Amino acid sequence: MATEQGLAQITLREVAGRVGMQAPSLYSHFESKHAIHDAMFGQAWTEYLETLRVAESAAPTSPRAMLRHLARTFFEFSASNLARYQLMNQRTIPGFEPSAESYAPAVAALELLREQLAGIGITREEDVDLSTALMGGLVDAQLANDPGGDRWARLVERTTEMFADNVGLPPEA
Amino acid sequence: MATEQGLAQITLREVAGRVGMQAPSLYSHFESKHAIHDAMFGQAWTEYLETLRVAESAAPTSPRAMLRHLARTFFEFSASNLARYQLMNQRTIPGFEPSAESYAPAVAALELLREQLAGIGITREEDVDLSTALMGGLVDAQLANDPGGDRWARLVERTTEMFADNVGLPPEA
DNA sequence: GTCTATACACCGATAGAC
DNA sequence: GTCTATCGGTGTATAGAC
């Protein structure tokens, strides 16, 4: 439903209707609408964590190729679903704060990214911060200004190389 | 009100109350809540256009200094107000599309940026796209992950230099 | 236990009196 | 132009059938 019509348009009555229930019955399964958002947040980050692990298993060996691989993985996962990206990375639901439980896979994903970057020699905190901001910026521009297109998707590899140069990764053989 | 409590929390009843009216009376001045958002969108971009023009009048001459100046101007304007940034640059209000009239100052601001970048030798569309994505990424990361702090603000100049290197701007004297 | 039925306070929006 | 009254829809809550 979030993918179809946006996060904010979700109503409990329609959620219930789609699973053959009346709205109040949802309260037997979730404490509140906030709890549903929270579960979706945790689920989305768990999906990404899984995607990262799959990406790791198919990881190239060269540092720059690995960086491109990680960047492409993040970009495609993020840009393929606006509502999910907003839920995961932006403050789009008023007052929403994830619970510790739902936040755990987000922490795990960032930790895994940190390890993967460390594996190719990128360890400084500001370098990791910069890498996430760069990729987030491309995703954001793509989703906001050219949804469904590839105007910023085409810049992913260039940006990755620019970042690799900046942190002093060795040039490719 | 948007700055205080977030864009989505604005209710017509409170808007009306703050100007000593009843909610339905607002419809004598705006066609709908969407029209109010639209006016805010136009107003925000007009503010930024004005900020850009002020920045131009105080512009440094060296290309890299100019780039830093533009980047800092954008970052500070954007990061200083989450609600405004979301309204201007993200798809945070469900179904919101600015009218042609409100979109005009946004087009004008982008055109002015394009001219300012052209003035220091940056003319290719993908270079302009990259520059806006880079700055947007820093703002987004700052607002989402460290609101009120400076964890990504500290990366603005480094990112600018990285971009300047990438597009082949001459090194500073 | 899980559902249906119903209620409440709030929302954006409209009708019509003045 | 502003008001009161009201509409359908929303999140939320509870009572009570089964």
Side-chain angles (χ1 to χ4, degrees), chain B residues 21-22 25 28-29:
Chain B
M21 280 182 173
Q22 296 296 321
S25 302
S28 299
H29 304 272

Side-chain angles (χ1 to χ4, degrees), chain A residues 91 127 129 144 151 158, chain B residues 91 127 129 144 151 158 166:
Chain A
R91 306 226 170 269
D127 292 349
D129 285 350
R151 187 163 155 189
R158 173 182 171 186
Chain B
R91 305 226 171 269
D127 292 349
D129 285 350
R151 187 163 157 190
R158 173 182 172 187
N166 187 263

Side-chain angles (χ1 to χ4, degrees), chain A residues 1-171:
Chain A
M1 285 176 59
T3 303
E4 288 169 21
Q5 36 186 281
L7 263 179
Q9 324 262 39
I10 292 180
T11 70
L12 297 186
R13 282 164 175 87
E14 188 181 349
V15 170
R18 293 216 187 184
V19 292
M21 281 181 174
Q22 295 297 320
S25 302
L26 293 175
Y27 284 82
S28 299
H29 305 273
F30 294 93
E31 259 196 5
S32 65
K33 193 179 191 185
H34 181 281
I36 297 180
H37 288 143
D38 194 55
M40 291 169 70
F41 179 91
Q43 195 167 315
W45 274 103
T46 300
E47 281 175 34
Y48 181 59
L49 187 54
E50 188 53 36
T51 301
L52 255 191
R53 286 191 175 127
V54 170
E56 191 172 36
S57 73
T61 49
S62 134
R64 281 178 187 253
M66 177 65 175
L67 206 54
R68 281 197 302 271
H69 186 58
L70 286 174
R72 183 53 67 181
T73 298
F74 172 78
F75 187 92
E76 282 179 3
F77 180 87
S78 299
S80 68
N81 194 321
L82 169 64
R84 186 177 61 186
Y85 182 72
Q86 290 181 331
L87 177 62
M88 292 171 73
N89 297 300
Q90 295 176 345
R91 306 226 170 269
T92 181
I93 301 179
F96 174 70
E97 285 290 329
S99 64
E101 185 188 344
S102 291
Y103 199 64
V107 173
L110 185 56
E111 184 50 37
L112 180 53
L113 172 66
R114 221 179 279 278
E115 287 170 20
Q116 290 173 331
L117 290 178
I120 56 174
I122 297 173
T123 56
R124 291 187 306 179
E125 186 188 56
E126 63 259 36
D127 292 349
V128 178
D129 285 350
L130 180 56
S131 75
T132 58
L134 295 181
M135 285 305 118
L138 291 174
V139 170
D140 221 43
Q142 182 63 55
L143 288 172
N145 305 318
D146 182 37
D150 70 341
R151 187 163 155 189
W152 278 269
R154 282 184 270 118
L155 298 175
V156 171
E157 298 193 359
R158 173 182 171 186
T159 303
T160 306
E161 295 301 326
M162 177 178 70
F163 174 71
D165 291 342
N166 187 264
V167 297
L169 242 53

